[in-house]
Amino acid sequence: MRLYIWSLYLYPTPAIFKKNRNTWLEYVFFASYSPEFSQAIKQDNTILSWLPECQTFVDEFIRLEGRGWAADRLCDCGMAASFRCTDCLSVNLSCQECIVRQHVETPFHRIKEWRWDFFSSVTLESLGLRIQLGHDPGQHCRNPKSARNNDFVVIDTHRIHEIGLDFCGCETAASHYKQLLRARWFPATSTDPRTAATFSILNFFHLLSFESKVSAYEFYHTLARITDNTGIQPIRDRYSTFLKMVIMWRNIKMLMRAGRGHDPGGVEATQQGQLAVLCPACPQPGKNLSDNWENEPVAMRWLHSFFLAIDANFRLKCRMISTNLRDPGLTHGWAYFVEECGYKSYLKENSAVIQERSECVSHDAINLADTKSSKGLAATGVGAVDCARHKFKLPNGVGDLQKGEKYLNMDYLVFSSLTHFSTLSTINFSYDVACQWHKKLWTRVSSLPERLHFSHVDKIIRFFVPKFHLAAHIPACQTAFSFNWTPHVGRTDSEAPERGWANINRVASSTKEMGPRSRRDTLDDHFGDWNWKKVTVFGTCFKYHTAMESVASSELGQASLATWEEEITTWENDHTQRNPFESQSNEMTQAAVHLELAQQGIKDIEDGVSESLHVEVTPSILISTGIDLEHVQRRLHADIATLGQHSTDNQCTKILMRRNALQRRIDMWANIQALYMPTTPHLHSTGFITPSEDDDSGCPKSNPTSENAEYFPLLLPSEICEHSTCDPKLLDIEWSLCHAQANDALDECRSNIRLRHQLIQFKGQHIRGQGATTRARQTIQTVENRLILSHAKYTHAHWALTALSHRFSCPGWDINFQLLKKAHLRPMGDFGGQSQGTAIMSWIWQTRGIATGDNENLQECTSLHVECCKARACHHRWAEEIQLLLEEMCRVLAFLAWHAAWWETQGSLRTVDRPEDAEGLLAYAKRQAAICHGLHAKFAEKWKNVGDIVKAGMGDDTSPDQGPTLDAPPCDLDDVD
């Protein structure tokens, strides 16, 4: 028992008790010593309290299989009772006549009959129930007309029903499909329907498909199994019919929610993008911006910037299994997809245009855009344009891709969506290849159809790369297209499309098999639901508490900060000026030194002064290869150290193979080394010991007694220069390479320190659970191991420079390259546990690019300079984010108020003949207005104290405009349309 209590202490989770039923004594004993765990158990005691009653539950289930206490009772009418309804509350038995009479108004309940000593399923149709449309339930028509062949199927939530149905044949009777609609049954066709689905099942599937992404096929066959899960009775196959009804239902709902039923022009007058759900937080003149927004001060106009994110998704493919003629579709550019005919015509006219190759890194989206395989596919994916800050799909911003992510496609989609926002003066484009896409953009725009032309004159147009994608670009792009370093963008990351793809990718497998236009209609519907859900959660998605966190900009003096502030402001206003976020030092990297030495070797050969003693290996290649071999030794030594006491055979085999390969490389290198350094064979034979490095880096020391390759002394010039003569040219080469190696190692250390710090912060804030914590620790340890290797590389380079400096006159080199201890490997804001008054920043953040020996111009400390500029930019972005959030809150409330007023005017907009139709138009418009009022009131209540919170946290007198308080009439939110 004590052992088990200890196991509970190690793993204090309620899951233990779910698997071990006989632990009540242990639980009581342990819970008394762990209030936290006791509370967790109390919150999860439902299962624990149920376990003793499990047998009772089983017995009650079985009891319901029989007649129970009603076994000897007669029907209320006095007749023998043998029928029971499984969907009614009562479990009493009734006779056939009574059971039919009871279900005149609920004809889709499931009935069971007691026969052969058990309950078996029967249908109300077989018991004599007939449903009469066009009259009140229970009334009979004088001229009933049966469904064709007396065969009618209704799909409902309970099952797939075969029913007896009579249409009304009176003189004033409506058409058959209208009679079905007025009974809240959706007919499969408008001519002689024989199948219908109830509104409830279509609405249920509609919402279920949004949340679970279940396909119509899976859903329909679930209903079939509910009808009969044995396969004994064949089920009427109405799957294809149900699928068509779902498509029509979705289209009708989209039209109604956009107010097309209230427009005098009707459905046919629907304009491009009119069925899309708009983002209430984005600036939209006439809806959520003041009338004089264009006349606001220039310094505040950035608050009305429009953030637009572009991306493509190649999982949303479409197979070539149908045509537009066979699959006509219902939304012709009315929602999120562009109008297909104009789009395809433009692509066909410009099909010969070849896309330029990337001048940044090799972006597949650019270089493979013309070569992506499309065999058997009508579309290889979709391109899309999103609202970058709020993750809304934009109207007419989605289109199919025929090959890859070509500029032709993406340009058309971008400026098709921009036609709805053309009056805005500031546009921020975000695209993962924006650094290439923006080149010659306005030249390409001139070739678009005239209706898509966009005038960028007198507008502020900026281009960015999303934050997650930015690291894949070259350093120049990482500063020029960064959201972090550009003013007036807040904390926008512009990864909105990626989050949207994660939601929609779950329907990729089902939409891939649809016809082209049905697929677009389905995706339009899912995009609309995605947008609507974003509207409903606006009250909780504004993270103004997080935005109020500030970042300290620097620990330096005001003179340096003032100089850097001026540099940053100058660059923000003119990107052609010196970029303060880029290191301006002339540090030499190992790669640059290799190139310089190779070029010098070529020059020596051309001048006839080459001193190479080997046909293929020059002195520079010899030394650089030796330095590389030292690093391979360090890596092998570190990997061997990580092996446990019980390492596997595979692990040992890999280590031995690497050791053997390294030994062969060293042997070949040592043979050539003897040509340039004749004393090295003698030193090896006498067991020369390399001078020890005074460090705490864990570097492998040479060990003549060991035969392992990682301990073999390479005897580079820096190691033997004090004990033996060495060619000065070799000393010069090693000095240059070690100097560059020290620069590279310091950069690696700083990069790994920043990455480790970010991972630790992310783990503390977001990672929960044993599995996730373990994986996070493994990732942090991987970065830690890389930091250790970088530290070891620097330490060895520093030792070599120290040894070589005795042979040269190199004053001031040790100012930038100090001795690096493990205590120095800390982030910029970490002062090693010292108090604020005695805090000293680690020297690795204060190194200068040029070792001049003076210490006057502190701004030349490029690492510190860049880091402080970044900290200052981060602080400004958070301050801007607060301003943007306050502005967006005001725009959301203004949009909802406008939308409510708009709906209130729609009720009487259309003239109809019958009063009941007019009442329906007015009722629907008022219900939609009530929903807008309700959302407005909810958000206004939630944000009413935001202004005070911001003023208290930021010392700002600005508070959000709460707008008028609107009384929200009650509305049915269970069926929000």
Side-chain angles (χ1 to χ4, degrees):
M1 177 175 173
R2 292 179 182 177
L3 180 61
Y4 188 73
I5 297 302
W6 178 245
S7 70
L8 291 180
Y9 180 78
L10 291 177
Y11 303 97
T13 62
I16 294 176
F17 298 104
K18 296 178 184 178
K19 298 180 180 179
N20 302 274
R21 302 182 181 182
N22 302 317
T23 58
W24 277 104
L25 290 176
E26 291 91 336
Y27 158 62
V28 172
F29 177 81
F30 179 76
S32 63
Y33 290 93
S34 177
E36 228 177 1
F37 187 68
S38 174
Q39 183 64 26
I41 291 296
K42 289 177 181 177
Q43 294 174 356
D44 195 50
N45 63 1
T46 304
I47 299 297
L48 298 178
S49 61
W50 173 80
L51 284 175
E53 306 299 332
C54 181
Q55 183 62 50
T56 304
F57 274 72
V58 172
D59 293 342
E60 289 298 322
F61 270 59
I62 294 177
R63 182 176 182 273
L64 291 173
E65 291 293 317
R67 292 173 293 177
W69 55 270
D72 300 326
R73 293 188 58 178
L74 299 176
C75 178
D76 292 340
C77 66
M79 300 292 293
S82 59
F83 296 93
R84 172 188 289 173
C85 177
T86 61
D87 297 312
C88 290
L89 179 62
S90 173
V91 295
N92 292 339
L93 300 182
S94 301
C95 66
Q96 179 174 341
E97 182 179 350
C98 290
I99 202 73
V100 171
R101 185 179 65 254
Q102 293 166 4
H103 287 84
V104 169
E105 296 187 11
T106 54
F108 301 132
H109 281 196
R110 292 166 293 181
I111 308 301
K112 290 192 175 184
E113 180 183 6
W114 181 260
R115 53 180 174 177
W116 307 310
D117 294 333
F118 66 91
F119 280 110
S120 60
S121 297
V122 295
T123 66
L124 284 168
E125 180 192 26
S126 66
L127 298 180
L129 177 65
R130 293 194 66 82
I131 301 173
Q132 176 65 62
L133 297 182
H135 295 269
D136 293 336
Q139 293 184 355
H140 298 282
C141 178
R142 291 177 297 177
N143 186 27
K145 293 187 178 297
S146 300
R148 191 172 66 170
N149 299 328
N150 199 26
D151 176 23
F152 203 90
V153 175
V154 177
I155 304 170
D156 187 47
T157 51
H158 293 122
R159 60 187 294 168
I160 300 170
H161 301 268
E162 296 182 23
I163 65 171
L165 178 68
D166 292 329
F167 292 102
C168 176
C170 298
E171 295 179 357
T172 58
S175 60
H176 289 184
Y177 77 89
K178 286 186 178 180
Q179 292 184 42
L180 291 169
L181 288 171
R182 290 171 184 176
R184 294 190 294 274
W185 296 1
F186 197 94
T189 177
S190 59
T191 58
D192 197 15
R194 290 188 296 166
T195 305
T198 61
F199 282 15
S200 59
I201 191 63
L202 290 174
N203 188 62
F204 177 74
F205 170 72
H206 199 192
L207 294 177
L208 184 66
S209 66
F210 291 147
E211 293 299 318
S212 70
K213 309 304 181 190
V214 64
S215 68
Y217 179 88
E218 295 164 335
F219 184 80
Y220 180 83
H221 285 84
T222 300
L223 288 176
R225 292 188 62 182
I226 292 176
T227 304
D228 178 42
N229 199 28
T230 65
I232 297 174
Q233 298 179 351
I235 305 301
R236 303 293 293 273
D237 185 9
R238 291 292 191 273
Y239 163 65
S240 60
T241 304
F242 177 71
L243 187 59
K244 295 174 184 176
M245 288 188 287
V246 167
I247 294 172
M248 291 184 284
W249 171 271
R250 285 171 166 168
N251 183 252
I252 291 171
K253 286 294 184 179
M254 291 179 70
L255 291 167
M256 291 175 60
R257 291 163 182 164
R260 301 311 308 152
H262 293 70
D263 193 294
V267 173
E268 295 301 324
T270 305
Q271 301 298 313
Q272 299 293 297
Q274 204 165 1
L275 303 189
V277 177
L278 301 178
C279 174
C282 283
Q284 299 180 54
K287 297 182 176 67
N288 58 8
L289 292 181
S290 60
D291 295 336
N292 62 342
W293 68 274
E294 294 178 291
N295 299 323
E296 291 185 2
V298 176
M300 300 303 295
R301 290 183 189 174
W302 68 271
L303 290 171
H304 306 312
S305 301
F306 183 48
F307 292 83
L308 186 146
I310 311 161
D311 198 23
N313 184 340
F314 291 101
R315 293 191 62 182
L316 295 176
K317 298 178 174 64
C318 179
R319 289 185 177 173
M320 197 175 293
I321 58 176
S322 185
T323 64
N324 290 337
L325 292 177
R326 295 172 55 193
D327 179 33
L330 299 175
T331 56
H332 310 286
W334 292 348
Y336 305 95
F337 271 87
V338 293
E339 196 278 318
E340 191 72 8
C341 294
Y343 179 50
K344 292 292 182 61
S345 297
Y346 168 76
L347 296 178
K348 185 177 181 180
E349 292 171 2
N350 296 273
S351 59
V353 177
I354 302 300
Q355 185 153 305
E356 297 179 0
R357 296 185 66 82
S358 172
E359 296 178 4
C360 184
V361 296
S362 182
H363 292 297
D364 288 347
I366 298 174
N367 296 340
L368 303 182
D370 294 305
T371 59
K372 189 174 182 67
S373 175
S374 59
K375 183 178 180 180
L377 296 175
T380 58
V382 299
V385 183
D386 284 28
C387 157
R389 284 185 60 81
H390 314 111
K391 301 182 276 294
F392 278 68
K393 284 286 181 293
L394 297 183
N396 298 130
V398 183
D400 286 331
L401 304 177
Q402 293 68 44
K403 282 286 186 179
E405 200 170 338
K406 300 179 68 172
Y407 291 163
L408 281 176
N409 299 78
M410 306 310 290
D411 291 347
Y412 192 100
L413 301 179
V414 169
F415 291 97
S416 177
S417 64
L418 266 183
T419 57
H420 303 280
F421 305 92
S422 58
T423 58
L424 296 175
S425 59
T426 303
I427 308 292
N428 295 318
F429 290 101
S430 173
Y431 193 9
D432 52 3
V433 290
C435 60
Q436 306 301 309
W437 174 73
H438 85 288
K439 299 176 181 178
K440 302 181 181 180
L441 174 62
W442 306 118
T443 302
R444 298 197 305 270
V445 169
S446 62
S447 66
L448 289 170
E450 186 175 355
R451 65 183 181 84
L452 301 184
H453 285 186
F454 182 82
S455 175
H456 62 285
V457 180
D458 298 329
K459 294 182 184 292
I460 299 175
I461 308 295
R462 299 188 294 180
F463 301 91
F464 299 91
V465 174
K467 291 184 178 180
F468 180 79
H469 293 80
L470 190 61
H473 289 248
I474 60 176
C477 294
Q478 292 181 17
T479 54
F481 298 93
S482 172
F483 277 102
N484 287 330
W485 318 140
T486 306
H488 300 156
V489 295
R491 291 292 299 173
T492 308
D493 62 20
S494 200
E495 295 293 350
E498 303 297 341
R499 301 181 178 99
W501 296 143
N503 173 71
I504 200 65
N505 279 341
R506 292 183 292 162
V507 303
S509 58
S510 58
T511 56
K512 181 171 60 177
E513 305 295 337
M514 295 181 181
R517 290 188 172 173
S518 293
R519 165 180 164 274
R520 290 192 288 271
D521 290 350
T522 301
L523 292 177
D524 267 342
D525 196 40
H526 280 269
F527 292 146
D529 178 70
W530 169 263
N531 283 9
W532 172 248
K533 286 195 293 185
K534 293 299 175 185
V535 173
T536 61
V537 299
F538 261 128
T540 58
C541 69
F542 285 116
K543 305 297 184 182
Y544 49 87
H545 290 288
T546 303
M548 288 170 56
E549 297 177 1
S550 59
V551 180
S553 61
S554 179
E555 292 290 334
L556 298 179
Q558 292 300 316
S560 296
L561 285 177
T563 302
W564 296 349
E565 182 85 18
E566 183 178 354
E567 290 181 7
I568 296 171
T569 305
T570 302
W571 178 80
E572 289 177 345
N573 295 328
D574 183 3
H575 277 21
T576 62
Q577 300 298 317
R578 179 179 184 267
N579 191 335
F581 300 105
E582 289 182 347
S583 176
Q584 304 296 324
S585 65
N586 61 346
E587 297 174 351
M588 289 293 288
T589 63
Q590 279 186 278
V593 173
H594 283 312
L595 177 60
E596 183 179 338
L597 291 174
Q599 292 172 343
Q600 183 62 41
I602 294 174
K603 187 176 182 300
D604 291 343
I605 294 175
E606 292 175 349
D607 296 342
V609 295
S610 176
E611 300 178 1
S612 178
L613 301 179
H614 192 273
V615 177
E616 299 178 354
V617 180
T618 63
S620 61
I621 294 178
L622 175 75
I623 301 302
S624 63
T625 304
I627 292 176
D628 291 341
L629 288 174
E630 281 184 336
H631 188 59
V632 175
Q633 284 182 314
R634 284 191 292 270
R635 291 186 60 182
L636 179 59
H637 180 269
D639 291 344
I640 292 174
T642 59
L643 290 179
Q645 184 177 1
H646 304 287
S647 55
T648 65
D649 291 343
N650 285 337
Q651 291 174 326
C652 294
T653 301
K654 290 179 180 178
I655 291 295
L656 289 175
M657 292 176 66
R658 289 174 59 188
R659 180 178 284 163
N660 292 338
L662 176 59
Q663 187 62 59
R664 287 192 293 270
R665 290 180 61 189
I666 290 176
D667 291 342
M668 293 175 60
W669 180 83
N671 291 334
I672 301 174
Q673 182 192 30
L675 298 176
Y676 293 96
M677 304 170 63
T679 60
T680 53
H682 174 71
L683 294 175
H684 280 300
S685 62
T686 57
F688 176 78
I689 299 177
T690 304
S692 176
E693 301 171 13
D694 184 16
D695 68 89
D696 58 353
S697 65
C699 297
K701 306 299 188 297
S702 60
N703 184 3
T705 62
S706 175
E707 297 181 355
N708 293 334
E710 65 270 21
Y711 293 110
F712 184 85
L714 298 179
L715 302 184
L716 289 171
S718 59
E719 299 174 357
I720 65 172
C721 61
E722 294 184 2
H723 304 276
S724 178
T725 59
C726 189
D727 187 351
K729 185 176 181 62
L730 296 179
L731 297 175
D732 288 340
I733 293 172
E734 187 177 5
W735 171 268
S736 299
L737 289 170
C738 287
H739 192 279
Q741 185 184 38
N743 270 327
D744 286 350
L746 268 184
D747 283 341
E748 291 176 8
C749 286
R750 287 189 285 259
S751 176
N752 289 325
I753 289 170
R754 284 192 293 262
L755 180 57
R756 180 185 63 180
H757 181 64
Q758 291 171 356
L759 289 174
I760 291 174
Q761 283 190 323
F762 183 85
K763 173 179 173 291
Q765 294 173 2
H766 303 288
I767 301 299
R768 298 293 183 271
Q770 184 176 356
T773 301
T774 301
R775 289 190 292 272
R777 286 175 179 170
Q778 290 174 347
T779 303
I780 294 172
Q781 187 59 48
T782 300
V783 176
E784 183 71 29
N785 293 338
R786 285 162 49 186
L787 177 59
I788 291 173
L789 281 175
S790 300
H791 179 208
K793 182 196 292 187
Y794 175 83
T795 301
H796 188 82
H798 179 268
W799 180 89
L801 289 173
T802 303
L804 292 172
S805 66
H806 298 295
R807 308 288 296 182
F808 300 96
S809 177
C810 303
W813 71 270
D814 54 343
I815 295 178
N816 280 350
F817 300 122
Q818 303 177 31
L819 184 63
L820 183 61
K821 298 291 185 179
K822 287 184 177 178
H824 298 148
L825 302 176
R826 59 179 187 263
M828 191 174 185
D830 185 351
F831 299 104
Q834 296 175 321
S835 64
Q836 187 174 4
T838 59
I840 300 176
M841 187 179 298
S842 176
W843 69 266
I844 63 174
W845 303 106
Q846 305 182 48
T847 57
R848 287 197 296 272
I850 305 174
T852 60
D854 61 82
N855 200 24
E856 296 177 358
N857 295 324
L858 191 56
Q859 59 267 26
E860 289 300 324
C861 298
T862 56
S863 297
L864 184 60
H865 181 180
V866 172
E867 291 301 320
C868 287
C869 289
K870 291 180 178 180
R872 178 256 189 201
C874 182
H875 176 78
H876 282 217
R877 298 299 84 77
W878 277 116
E880 293 166 1
E881 181 70 11
I882 293 174
Q883 290 180 278
L884 275 174
L885 290 177
L886 294 178
E887 178 66 22
E888 287 168 345
M889 290 178 188
C890 294
R891 287 204 293 256
V892 168
L893 295 178
F895 181 91
L896 291 172
W898 165 84
H899 206 196
W902 181 85
W903 269 114
E904 287 171 349
T905 63
Q906 299 299 300
S908 58
L909 196 63
R910 180 180 165 195
T911 302
V912 292
D913 297 331
R914 291 176 296 189
E916 58 268 25
D917 293 341
E919 185 181 37
L921 289 169
L922 184 62
Y924 187 83
K926 284 187 173 294
R927 184 158 70 90
Q928 294 298 320
I931 292 171
C932 295
H933 284 313
L935 290 173
H936 184 286
K938 174 185 175 182
F939 298 160
E941 174 65 23
K942 193 170 187 65
W943 299 335
K944 64 181 180 181
N945 297 322
V946 171
D948 296 334
I949 295 173
V950 171
K951 284 196 295 184
M954 303 296 294
D956 189 354
D957 293 334
T958 304
S959 62
D961 179 13
Q962 299 299 327
T965 302
L966 301 179
D967 294 329
C971 60
D972 182 9
L973 297 181
D974 293 333
D975 182 23
V976 176
D977 289 340

